[in-house]
Amino acid sequence: MMESGQQLEGVLERELAGSGLGHKARHKRLLRIGQAMSRAASASFPRQFAKDEAGLKGAYRFFANPEVTPEAILQGHVAATRERCRARGKVLCIQDTTDLIFKHQVEGAGRINQLPRVRGLWVHTTLAVDAGTHEVMGVLGQMVWARPDKPKRKKRKKEETAAQRKKRPRESQRWGEAAYRVSDVLEPLPAQERPCVVHVLDAEGDVFETLEVIEALGDSFVIRVTRNRLLASGQRQQAEEAEREYLLDKVAQAPVLGHKVVQVPGRPGQQERQAELEIRACRVSVRPPRNRGRAGQPLELNVVLARETRPPEGQKPLYWCLVTGEPIETLQQCLQVVEAYEGRWLVEELHMGFKSGCGTETRRLQHGARLSNFLALATVVAFSMLSLRDAARRPEPPPASEHLSEIQLQLLGDLCPELPPNPNAYDALRAMAMLGGFIGRKGDGEPGWRTLWRGWEKLQHAETIYRMHLHRLSSPKADSG
């Protein structure tokens, strides 16, 4: 939490304090760029550094500096996140992958889909979240890469075999690599203060080798699965096809333990809504996949199925089949597994923050390495706003004074008369969003990143004018007049 009177800029300064840039001048430049971004996150560099040509040139030189790396920029924030994880009983490490698509030419960018002209970078982020409260604690790791173009097939060249494919690096290994990195980051904490880690992955992370990595690390997991994996049986290979059991089929036959209502976020063409899910659970033993010859030991997994039985007309029913290392002996334990997966939306919010809020895809940086450096800083800036947004959405939001200064709250009240006295974080967030154009009608849901950033920029602009006015009043020249 922020101390009373501290601003989002102060959060940013704290998060960047331990950067590994190895040079005081570079660290000072990082803070200067971060402060400019926090005041106008989505604006272009020329607008962020208006009337500051030296600052503008310094920003471009900073991101182009070969001594500057994304890992060094994020180092301080990752260390601060580790400290927030200290002594927490259980932490969700939510992984997710997103793409950055550039409309301008970027050296080092790669293909995003099958269209050769669509170029960009892939980003994989691990966000730490308190398992009990879903409080966002920060980023524990981030990987950026460019997908290579597919080589042209040569005539008479033998197709790559499955065994050869297994030997070369694959993108699917990022899920296990991210789990290793989390383990390395938390390793310095004393054993008695190290939290239990639960890796939360979407369907892309449904990879057998990822499960093996997480189990080898001694961590737990909640992973949404879509593959109907073969279960181990007494007959094993001798079993007839008709007698074989599969994961999705078995959990669908388990008895209904209870029901849960979840909030489904709005998406393009789909309004935010509530969904009632029936809950089933069972324990299974899953055999290794066929593409590696079923080699290896079966994995003992708990499975929770959360399925919507009465979706609105025209809406696809919610269907979450979750494999987990968490206990499922009671309905309450099964509901905790579902709640852990619900937290996965938070990492998507962070991605929207550095994409839409910070305008990462529109930055006119011509090289992938420079854009990766910018992305690292944008991730920390997005976290500073996400921490406020996260606080506003809690069942009991904290006072807004923990996130905004006294002057900012006074100005926000002047600009938004609807703001109640002694507002909490939710009140302040809504008022800030309304400054950015959010209407707040009944069916509008919660404000998005663009309106939040626009409102924050207007509040920052009002504060700048206010402070300039105070400075003029207090100057000797003003006193003599």
Side-chain angles (χ1 to χ4, degrees), residues 350-393:
L350 180 73
H351 285 171
M352 285 298 295
F354 64 62
K355 291 173 75 170
S356 298
C358 298
T360 302
E361 293 171 309
T362 62
R363 296 291 157 178
R364 304 301 292 186
L365 297 170
Q366 306 299 319
H367 198 284
R370 300 173 191 180
L371 282 160
S372 296
N373 286 335
F374 174 83
L375 170 66
L377 179 55
T379 298
V380 183
V381 174
F383 164 77
S384 68
M385 180 61 79
L386 182 61
S387 62
L388 171 59
R389 189 173 181 179
D390 169 55
R393 292 184 175 184

Side-chain angles (χ1 to χ4, degrees), residues 150-159:
K150 288 185 176 181
K152 294 181 179 179
R153 292 185 179 181
K154 295 182 180 179
K155 292 182 179 180
R156 300 178 182 177
K157 185 177 179 180
K158 188 177 179 181
E159 290 290 338

Side-chain angles (χ1 to χ4, degrees), residues 96-400:
D96 191 42
T97 305
T98 190
D99 56 38
L100 299 175
I101 299 176
F102 307 118
K103 294 183 179 179
H104 59 286
Q105 188 71 27
V106 174
E107 184 181 348
R111 64 185 175 90
I112 295 296
N113 52 31
Q114 301 304 318
L115 299 176
R117 293 186 180 180
V118 180
R119 314 290 289 177
L121 298 172
W122 291 93
V123 184
H124 188 80
T125 308
T126 303
L127 181 70
V129 173
D130 185 280
T133 64
H134 281 196
E135 176 188 348
V136 176
M137 287 178 286
V139 171
L140 286 174
Q142 190 173 70
M143 293 180 278
V144 182
W145 72 96
R147 182 177 291 171
D149 293 324
K150 288 185 176 181
K152 294 181 179 179
R153 292 185 179 181
K154 295 182 180 179
K155 292 182 179 180
R156 300 178 182 177
K157 185 177 179 180
K158 188 177 179 181
E159 290 290 338
E160 185 180 36
T161 65
Q164 290 171 330
R165 238 183 348 261
K166 295 289 285 184
K167 290 181 180 178
R168 63 173 169 81
R170 305 181 310 282
E171 281 190 3
S172 62
Q173 292 172 319
R174 67 188 184 274
W175 306 96
E177 175 63 25
Y180 279 126
R181 294 191 182 193
V182 167
S183 180
D184 290 341
V185 169
L186 298 180
E187 181 66 28
L189 293 178
Q192 66 273 17
E193 296 184 357
R194 200 176 304 148
C196 296
V197 172
V198 181
H199 296 277
V200 181
L201 283 61
D202 200 8
E204 277 190 87
D206 179 15
V207 180
F208 194 84
E209 288 76 13
T210 300
L211 288 166
E212 292 179 315
V213 167
I214 294 174
E215 288 211 335
L217 289 170
D219 295 339
S220 188
F221 53 88
V222 173
I223 303 177
R224 183 182 167 204
V225 296
T226 55
R227 293 179 175 86
N228 202 8
R229 297 190 181 277
L230 178 65
L231 304 183
S233 66
Q235 299 293 325
R236 295 186 68 84
Q237 282 90 346
Q238 288 76 27
E240 295 295 332
E241 187 70 28
E243 297 175 356
R244 293 186 177 184
E245 285 189 296
Y246 292 84
L247 187 152
L248 300 181
D249 302 329
K250 182 164 183 177
V251 70
Q253 296 167 7
V256 176
L257 301 177
H259 295 81
K260 177 177 173 58
V261 175
V262 301
Q263 197 71 22
V264 182
R267 294 181 180 275
Q270 178 178 306
Q271 286 190 339
E272 184 177 1
R273 64 184 177 87
Q274 288 187 332
E276 183 178 339
L277 310 178
E278 63 176 23
I279 307 298
R280 304 170 187 259
C282 66
R283 185 166 177 80
V284 299
S285 179
V286 176
R287 292 184 60 190
R290 186 170 52 186
N291 64 5
R292 71 182 210 188
R294 307 290 185 192
Q297 294 298 316
L299 291 179
E300 300 292 329
L301 305 173
N302 292 332
V303 190
V304 175
L305 176 62
R307 180 170 61 186
E308 186 178 15
T309 55
R310 295 188 296 274
E313 186 177 354
Q315 297 284 354
K316 186 177 180 180
L318 215 60
Y319 180 93
W320 294 344
C321 185
L322 309 171
V323 296
T324 181
E326 297 294 279
I328 58 166
E329 295 175 3
T330 66
L331 173 61
Q332 184 58 35
Q333 290 173 335
C334 294
L335 294 179
Q336 288 174 354
V337 171
V338 177
E339 288 167 5
Y341 186 73
E342 283 185 86
R344 204 190 63 79
W345 302 113
L346 290 166
V347 72
E348 293 189 1
E349 296 280 1
L350 180 73
H351 285 171
M352 285 298 295
F354 64 62
K355 291 173 75 170
S356 298
C358 298
T360 302
E361 293 171 309
T362 62
R363 296 291 157 178
R364 304 301 292 186
L365 297 170
Q366 306 299 319
H367 198 284
R370 300 173 191 180
L371 282 160
S372 296
N373 286 335
F374 174 83
L375 170 66
L377 179 55
T379 298
V380 183
V381 174
F383 164 77
S384 68
M385 180 61 79
L386 182 61
S387 62
L388 171 59
R389 189 173 181 179
D390 169 55
R393 292 184 175 184
R394 292 179 203 161
E396 296 182 6

